[in-house]
Amino acid sequence: MPQFQSLQRLLAFYTLTLLAMLSLYYFIMFHEMKNESKQHSVETFHTLQYQISELNNPINPAVKKIVEKPFLAGISYQLIFMMPSGQTFIYHQTEADEPEFTGIMFPSIETSLLSNKNTHSTYTLSNEKLVGTIELKSGHKFYTILRHKPLNINWVSYRYWLPLMTAIMFFTLALLYTLKRRANWVQLLLYTDNLSSHAKEAYTPPPFVSKESTPEFLQLGHALSRINYQLHNNHRHITTLKHRLERLVDHAPLPMLMVMRQGQISFFNQRFEQVFSTAFQNDSNYKLTDFVFTEDESTQLLLQQLENLRVTRTFMVYGLANKKAYQLHITPWFGEHGQVHGFTVLLNNVNDLISQNEQLQQQNIEIQRQLDEFNALKSTMGHDLRLPLEAMIDTLEPIDTSVLTVKEHQIVNTLIETSHAMLIMLNEMLDIGEIEVRKTRLNIETVDIYKIGQHVSHLVTKDARQHGLELLYFFTPDCPRLIDTDHKRLQTILRNLLDNAIRYTSSGYVVLTIEAVNTEQLSAKNTILVNDLVNGTTNKLVPDNTNRKTNPAHDWVRFSIQDSGIGLETTQRDKLHSYFNQTAQLGNTQLDQSSYSQKASQIHTQVSQADVGLTTAHSFAKLLGGFIDLHSTPDIGSTFDLYLPCQNPNYQPIYHLNQQLTRLHLIAIINQPLAAEHLKRLCTHLSITVTIFTSTDSVTLQQLNDELMQNQRTLAPILLLDYDYYESITLALSNQLKDEKSIHANMVEEQIKEDLANTLSSNIDKQHTLNHLLANVSLPKILLSMKSERRIASMLLDRCDGFLTKPLDVNLLLSELLRLTLPTRQILIQAADIKYNDSVVVSADNRSDEIISPLILVVEDSPTNQKIACKMLAKLGYRSVVAEDGQQALDILQAQRQEIDLILMDCRMPVMDGLQATQAIRAQGDDIPIVALTANNTEEDRSACLKVGMDEFLAKPINKDKLQDVLTALIKP
């Protein structure tokens, strides 16, 4: 039965099981017989001991009678009887089938067991014999060796032959059962071999005889028959689908083909044969690139190496023969293990569509050209028509109607109403929005000019970076933060002026400076204009709020936009000066309508080549009661100064004084002298010790080292490095090294070589100084750059401890200064306490204020609420730092996380509200206590605040006692 190995293994296993059980039976039986023989020897020894112990004075005859008794019959033994006198008697008996005892053996047994009061005996038992000793109190000793009875196997007994016969019977039954199963398997295999996928048209049961087959064989046969029938049905269905697919593919209206993974075409339909005039042959070795090509080199390479394609792609290809355009759709098909087996390709003729598309593109270009011409005409017409209308309105509205007659008053009103109606109609026709509305829609309100300057600077930062310019923003400490003006128009003026400065500046910087000035500080050439604005009617355009308190020292706020661009030629500068002055004076002149229109037209003609943004800025400045002044030098730069009246100023502090700032020593290396001047002015206001360099060398390095040594016990040093300066030195040094190699390789004058060597030596000295400062690990370093952090080399960033972007946010700078110098300042304070513990108590108080007093981050957009919260916290003994929105709060928290103990978070803020900021903080895994501040004391607001992760809820206005309770509960000592 070589083909029935499973039956053979089953029979072998059954046979081995029977043999194992039979062997185990005989082994146990013989083992028990051997144990019985040993037990018989032990019992015989005990009987002999008993018989001997009955003798009071053993003698040879008495012992001889004992050994002749029946209990020693059938046992081979040797008994040595030794009397106290030393006389010895030996008795032995050997069975016929056992060997004789050789010699006399005296067993050596170390211990003895007390059998009774007269006898001591012991024995040892082995597989063949028992060796024992019996000692009487009388001194008589007996040494005996008893051989075990030999095994007596009586094969006639049923206990020997019955198990063997039973095993043979079971083996026979197993063999018969196996042979029967073999017949069933033979019949099943023959039935399986006769099955065919094409032979069964209906289900038929297997030809098994039920009486001779077991149920499982019958079930298996039925299952095979059903599977065979189902396979036949599936085969017929697959055959039908195959025929359908072949007809669909062969008669498809689009060219279709199959490509193997290596790139060879394995099949294409009849339509492909018709289009490309190629008949399909099985032995052909066509490739896709033999029929089509593409104008894109990368796509052509992909079509030649299709094994790299694993996603469906669509390409524009062209036929090699007919040059027509086709849209090629190629889709890979994969095997069960994810490997690419081939590709299906479909070609769609889009030649007509491409031609139509090209025609439509030409038509669109023509239409766009016409639209551009129309828009240019529309812009020109709008500018030309609005300018006289605005001049008319500016002239008519300031007229004092109280001195006019009734008829004249009616004429003026009619002219004003008509001009307004014409301007509104013109704005609607030209789709002009808020940028060109006039002063009748001015919205004079209290405006935070610090925020406006900051916002406009951020808006133009991207453009400045794209032009490679350095953007600076500085708000002077003595300038009022809040004035009454129009928010949108002020922002538009600053945006237009900054855009104009960036547009005409190829390299260098653009600076926005906001400062307060008085009338005497204005330029002498604008004296007439200033007097007109102060004493004339222009200021009537701005609401009069004389009942509010103002600072008489500051009459104007100057927004200065300075650039290092190309500047203006004298003629262009004079035209702009004339335009600014004449339009300002024209508004204060009593002219009739025709004279005004003629004069305004002449002024517009003079500046027709000027930037429209400047005219818009000047128009809005005039509406707000101010004017624009211009200073420009060719090839050096220009400065546009916007002057606005300082109406109802509010001098809220921008840069909060902090006693810890006086313990700092700021070392700044700044690229632009103007930026250095602004930074020095700020540090003077905040009482920060500062050393500013616009250039570095070994001399400045020595000077700086001397200052650091002098102030090392009193001030915490920190370095602010301008990346633009670092980059300029690095690039200059690299270029000079290249030039030096070129000069040495060519014949160049000695003077040029000497100048180059001196410049190179100077730059190397500067680079060495910078490297020395950056290598100082005890000096915290902040990198300041116009570029974003990801565009700075990681090697330089790793050597710095902080990073700030331009335009510089002063509040972020102060936060970084305090954060990075905190460890040094604590060491200085501790050292001062140790030195002056007995005499100087103020130092200990200062350390207590710095280390023990908790720092609260107040996130509030309202300046008034900021001031109230900070004062309340100061009275309660807490320090505070202010953020104006959620995003700024995240930045400050990241910079000063080790110092900040709690956050007071306003829920309603621009940019990022309090709920969003809290979610961002909690998402970072920070569990700092956050207290919500809101004016809406409702249960819904409370639930919303607690849901995002806030710890407590306070309603505005803040109650001092409740605030104290919350801070005490949440701030850990």
Side-chain angles (χ1 to χ4, degrees):
M1 300 185 298
Q3 69 273 32
F4 300 102
Q5 295 183 3
S6 60
L7 293 178
Q8 291 178 355
R9 288 193 294 268
L10 181 62
L11 182 61
F13 175 76
Y14 191 74
T15 303
L16 291 176
T17 303
L18 289 177
L19 289 176
M21 294 179 64
L22 188 63
S23 300
L24 183 62
Y25 172 78
Y26 282 113
F27 172 77
I28 294 174
M29 183 180 67
F30 289 133
H31 181 70
E32 291 295 330
M33 291 175 63
K34 195 170 184 179
N35 288 339
E36 288 178 1
S37 176
K38 290 181 180 181
Q39 187 64 29
H40 182 266
S41 298
V42 172
E43 292 176 355
T44 302
F45 177 77
H46 286 299
T47 303
L48 178 62
Q49 176 188 357
Y50 175 75
Q51 293 293 335
I52 292 174
S53 64
E54 291 295 327
L55 300 176
N56 294 327
N57 188 17
I59 56 175
N60 183 38
V63 174
K64 189 175 182 180
K65 288 182 180 180
I66 291 175
V67 299
E68 291 177 352
K69 289 186 178 181
F71 69 89
L72 291 175
I75 298 178
S76 298
Y77 65 88
Q78 183 184 69
L79 180 63
I80 301 174
F81 171 46
M82 180 180 293
M83 298 185 69
S85 59
Q87 188 177 2
T88 303
F89 301 92
I90 299 173
Y91 310 94
H92 59 84
Q93 176 181 326
T94 305
E95 295 296 321
D97 54 349
E98 295 182 4
E100 295 289 339
F101 289 97
T102 58
I104 300 174
M105 297 178 62
F106 290 91
S108 177
I109 302 176
E110 297 178 357
T111 59
S112 62
L113 299 175
L114 180 62
S115 300
N116 52 46
K117 62 181 180 178
N118 297 323
T119 308
H120 290 275
S121 65
T122 185
Y123 65 88
T124 58
L125 194 64
S126 64
N127 290 332
E128 294 81 13
K129 58 187 176 182
L130 182 148
V131 179
T133 302
I134 301 174
E135 183 178 355
L136 301 179
K137 274 193 173 185
S138 58
H140 297 80
K141 295 182 179 179
F142 295 87
Y143 301 95
T144 179
I145 298 175
L146 299 178
R147 290 180 177 173
H148 303 317
K149 279 187 176 183
L151 298 180
N152 185 15
I153 299 175
N154 186 10
W155 293 103
V156 180
S157 175
Y158 71 91
R159 62 185 297 189
Y160 298 105
W161 58 265
L162 183 58
L164 181 61
M165 297 304 295
T166 304
I168 293 173
M169 181 185 66
F170 279 113
F171 175 75
T172 304
L173 292 175
L175 182 61
L176 294 175
Y177 180 79
T178 303
L179 293 175
K180 183 178 179 181
R181 284 290 175 267
R182 177 181 179 278
N184 289 334
W185 278 111
V186 169
Q187 193 175 13
L188 181 61
L189 291 176
L190 291 175
Y191 170 71
T192 305
D193 292 338
N194 292 329
L195 292 176
S196 173
S197 60
H198 297 283
K200 290 286 186 82
E201 298 297 336
Y203 170 75
T204 56
F208 292 161
V209 179
S210 302
K211 294 182 179 180
E212 298 180 358
S213 300
T214 57
E216 56 268 20
F217 274 91
L218 291 174
Q219 294 175 3
L220 184 59
H222 286 297
L224 288 174
S225 183
R226 288 194 298 270
I227 292 173
N228 176 64
Y229 178 69
Q230 186 64 37
L231 288 175
H232 177 67
N233 287 339
N234 292 341
H235 175 76
R236 289 191 301 174
H237 184 61
I238 291 172
T239 303
T240 303
L241 292 178
K242 180 180 178 182
H243 290 314
R244 291 178 183 175
L245 184 59
E246 288 177 353
R247 292 182 63 83
L248 285 174
V249 172
D250 287 338
H251 297 84
L254 298 178
M256 303 174 64
L257 61 153
M258 298 289 295
V259 181
M260 301 303 293
R261 187 171 64 89
Q262 294 78 11
Q264 292 81 10
I265 297 177
S266 60
F267 167 80
F268 50 76
N269 62 354
Q270 296 178 5
R271 181 57 181 166
F272 188 90
E273 294 178 355
Q274 296 171 2
V275 172
F276 294 96
S277 302
T278 303
F280 179 74
Q281 299 176 0
N282 292 328
D283 58 347
S284 61
N285 194 20
Y286 294 129
K287 291 189 175 181
L288 185 58
T289 52
D290 295 337
F291 301 96
V292 296
F293 73 96
T294 178
E295 296 178 349
D296 185 20
E297 294 182 1
S298 60
T299 305
Q300 184 71 16
L301 182 61
L302 181 61
L303 294 180
Q304 294 174 355
Q305 300 176 356
L306 289 177
E307 62 271 11
N308 299 325
L309 183 64
R310 299 186 64 85
V311 296
T312 300
R313 296 288 299 274
T314 301
F315 305 109
M316 184 63 65
V317 297
Y318 301 90
L320 286 172
N322 53 22
K323 305 300 181 181
K324 291 185 178 181
Y326 295 92
Q327 196 175 39
L328 183 144
H329 303 273
I330 182 168
T331 304
W333 51 279
F334 302 90
E336 59 182 356
H337 300 294
Q339 69 277 19
V340 177
H341 280 186
F343 305 89
T344 59
V345 182
L346 179 66
L347 293 169
N348 187 14
N349 191 337
V350 293
N351 193 66
D352 295 338
L353 183 62
I354 294 296
S355 300
Q356 295 177 4
N357 189 30
E358 292 177 353
Q359 295 176 3
L360 291 176
Q361 287 181 355
Q362 293 296 330
Q363 295 177 4
N364 288 336
I365 293 174
E366 182 64 24
I367 294 174
Q368 185 63 41
R369 185 185 62 79
Q370 296 176 3
L371 287 176
D372 292 339
E373 293 177 356
F374 176 75
N375 290 332
L377 178 62
K378 172 182 172 182
S379 177
T380 304
M381 290 178 58
H383 185 273
D384 293 342
L385 293 176
R386 285 198 311 275
L387 188 61
L389 281 175
E390 292 171 356
M392 183 186 300
I393 295 173
D394 292 340
T395 303
L396 293 174
E397 286 188 345
I399 295 176
D400 188 4
T401 57
S402 60
V403 299
L404 301 178
T405 63
V406 177
K407 185 176 180 180
E408 291 174 345
H409 181 70
Q410 292 177 353
I411 294 173
V412 170
N413 287 338
T414 303
L415 290 175
I416 292 176
E417 293 176 359
T418 304
S419 58
H420 275 295
M422 292 175 63
L423 183 60
I424 293 173
M425 180 179 65
L426 181 62
N427 290 339
E428 291 177 352
M429 290 176 59
L430 299 178
D431 193 20
I432 298 174
E434 192 67 24
I435 189 172
E436 294 294 342
V437 294
R438 301 303 297 167
K439 56 197 170 187
T440 55
R441 295 179 59 186
L442 283 177
N443 184 18
I444 303 301
E445 58 184 356
T446 302
V447 176
D448 189 341
I449 58 176
Y450 170 74
K451 282 188 177 182
I452 288 183
Q454 196 175 46
H455 177 66
V456 175
S457 299
H458 286 305
L459 291 178
V460 299
T461 299
K462 183 177 180 181
D463 293 337
R465 287 176 178 171
Q466 291 177 352
H467 285 75
L469 303 177
E470 183 177 356
L471 181 62
L472 306 176
Y473 170 60
F474 183 66
F475 192 93
T476 58
D478 59 342
C479 181
R481 179 170 181 172
L482 306 176
I483 64 172
D484 287 353
T485 186
D486 188 293
H487 174 274
K488 292 184 178 180
R489 282 155 186 77
L490 176 56
Q491 181 172 318
T492 303
I493 296 171
L494 297 179
R495 178 65 185 271
N496 288 345
L497 294 178
L498 283 173
D499 287 340
N500 183 75
I502 293 173
R503 185 183 307 115
Y504 295 108
T505 304
S506 59
S507 63
Y509 60 89
V510 173
V511 183
L512 170 60
T513 305
I514 303 177
E515 57 186 340
V517 296
N518 52 36
T519 305
E520 290 75 13
Q521 293 174 316
L522 297 182
S523 176
K525 63 182 178 179
N526 288 317
T527 303
I528 299 176
L529 177 60
V530 171
N531 292 332
D532 291 337
L533 291 171
V534 174
N535 303 319
T537 58
T538 304
N539 275 337
K540 295 180 181 180
L541 298 173
V542 182
D544 187 12
N545 297 315
T546 57
N547 58 334
R548 296 180 58 180
K549 183 179 180 180
T550 62
N551 189 340
H554 292 154
D555 303 312
W556 302 89
V557 175
R558 177 167 58 194
F559 301 84
S560 179
I561 292 87
Q562 183 177 354
D563 63 71
S564 59
I566 59 177
L568 295 175
E569 297 295 337
T570 305
T571 56
Q572 295 177 333
R573 186 180 66 233
D574 293 341
K575 287 182 180 180
L576 283 177
H577 268 303
S578 177
Y579 170 70
F580 291 155
N581 294 332
Q582 291 181 31
T583 52
Q585 296 174 1
L586 184 62
N588 301 322
T589 305
Q590 299 288 339
L591 297 176
D592 56 21
Q593 183 63 29
S594 60
S595 300
Y596 182 90
S597 301
Q598 183 179 1
K599 188 65 176 176
S601 177
Q602 294 175 358
I603 295 173
H604 172 65
T605 303
Q606 295 177 359
V607 293
S608 58
Q609 297 178 351
D611 194 291
V612 178
L614 294 179
T615 60
T616 303
H618 176 70
S619 176
F620 282 174
K622 187 166 59 69
L623 286 175
L624 297 178
F627 63 96
I628 295 177
D629 190 18
L630 169 63
H631 304 277
S632 181
T633 304
D635 300 327
I636 295 180
S638 303
T639 301
F640 287 86
D641 293 329
L642 167 66
Y643 291 90
L644 292 183
C646 192
Q647 296 286 338
N648 301 318
N650 188 337
Y651 292 85
Q652 288 193 7
I654 303 296
Y655 315 117
H656 298 279
L657 299 176
N658 190 330
Q659 186 179 3
Q660 303 307 321
L661 295 175
T662 60
R663 297 191 176 99
L664 302 182
H665 180 195
L666 176 60
I667 304 162
I669 301 176
I670 303 298
N671 189 41
Q672 294 294 342
L674 187 59
E677 180 184 349
H678 289 168
L679 181 61
K680 184 176 181 180
R681 188 173 178 181
L682 173 67
C683 292
T684 302
H685 172 73
L686 296 175
S687 300
I688 299 176
T689 303
V690 62
T691 302
I692 300 178
F693 301 103
T694 56
S695 179
T696 58
D697 51 25
S698 57
V699 177
T700 58
L701 179 60
Q702 183 61 38
Q703 176 187 351
L704 181 59
N705 289 332
D706 294 341
E707 292 183 5
L708 292 177
M709 289 294 296
Q710 183 179 358
N711 301 327
Q712 63 179 350
R713 296 184 179 182
T714 57
L715 298 178
I718 186 169
L719 174 66
L720 178 64
L721 176 60
D722 192 341
Y723 177 76
D724 292 329
Y725 177 78
Y726 177 87
E727 187 180 34
S728 64
I729 297 300
T730 304
L731 292 178
L733 185 59
S734 177
N735 294 332
Q736 287 173 356
L737 290 175
K738 294 180 182 179
D739 294 340
E740 185 182 24
K741 293 180 181 180
S742 176
I743 288 175
H744 285 293
N746 301 309
M747 296 298 295
V748 182
E749 296 181 1
E750 292 297 330
Q751 183 63 33
I752 298 178
K753 290 183 179 181
E754 184 178 355
D755 294 340
L756 179 62
N758 293 334
T759 307
L760 179 61
S761 176
S762 175
N763 287 332
I764 291 176
D765 190 17
K766 294 178 182 179
Q767 185 69 43
H768 173 73
T769 304
L770 291 177
N771 292 336
H772 180 81
L773 292 174
L774 291 173
N776 189 352
V777 295
S778 63
L779 180 64
K781 293 167 281 292
I782 302 175
L783 187 63
L784 177 64
S785 174
M786 193 66 195
K787 296 181 179 180
S788 59
E789 188 173 3
R790 64 177 180 271
R791 298 182 61 187
I792 306 296
S794 59
M795 293 180 60
L796 180 59
L797 288 175
D798 294 339
R799 301 171 71 180
C800 298
D801 305 286
F803 181 83
L804 296 173
T805 57
K806 300 178 184 178
L808 178 63
D809 189 331
V810 176
N811 290 320
L812 288 180
L813 173 62
L814 298 178
S815 298
E816 285 291 276
L817 294 178
L818 293 175
R819 178 180 71 87
L820 296 176
T821 59
L822 177 62
T824 307
R825 287 185 286 114
Q826 290 179 346
I827 294 173
L828 293 176
I829 293 173
Q830 291 174 359
D833 287 347
I834 294 174
K835 185 175 181 180
Y836 305 106
N837 186 36
D838 296 333
S839 59
V840 183
V841 183
V842 178
S843 178
D845 295 337
N846 292 340
R847 182 190 62 181
S848 177
D849 291 340
E850 179 179 13
I851 299 176
I852 299 176
S853 178
L855 180 62
I856 309 298
L857 174 58
V858 179
V859 188
E860 174 65 62
D861 61 327
S862 172
T864 303
N865 293 338
Q866 292 175 5
K867 189 174 182 180
I868 293 174
C870 292
K871 285 186 177 180
M872 191 175 296
L873 290 172
K875 290 181 180 179
L876 295 176
Y878 296 95
R879 296 179 296 142
S880 61
V881 61
V882 177
E884 298 180 349
D885 53 62
Q887 184 59 50
Q888 187 176 0
L890 294 178
D891 298 337
I892 295 177
L893 183 64
Q894 183 180 3
Q896 296 180 255
R897 179 59 187 92
Q898 296 180 351
E899 292 186 89
I900 298 175
D901 296 279
L902 184 138
I903 302 176
L904 294 178
M905 183 77 73
D906 186 17
C907 294
R908 304 288 185 266
M909 292 181 296
V911 182
M912 178 185 289
D913 61 26
L915 301 180
Q916 295 173 343
T918 303
Q919 288 178 335
I921 294 172
R922 296 306 187 216
Q924 297 173 0
D926 196 341
D927 58 350
I928 185 172
I930 302 177
V931 179
L933 299 178
T934 179
N936 300 324
N937 188 12
T938 63
E939 192 63 32
E940 294 180 355
D941 291 336
R942 181 183 294 272
S943 300
C945 295
L946 298 178
K947 185 177 180 180
V948 298
M950 294 185 177
D951 299 278
E952 193 52 75
F953 182 94
L954 289 177
K956 296 179 184 178
I958 304 175
N959 182 274
K960 183 178 179 181
D961 296 334
K962 291 183 179 180
L963 177 61
Q964 176 66 33
D965 295 339
V966 170
L967 296 180
T968 304
L970 294 181
I971 297 179
K972 299 179 181 179

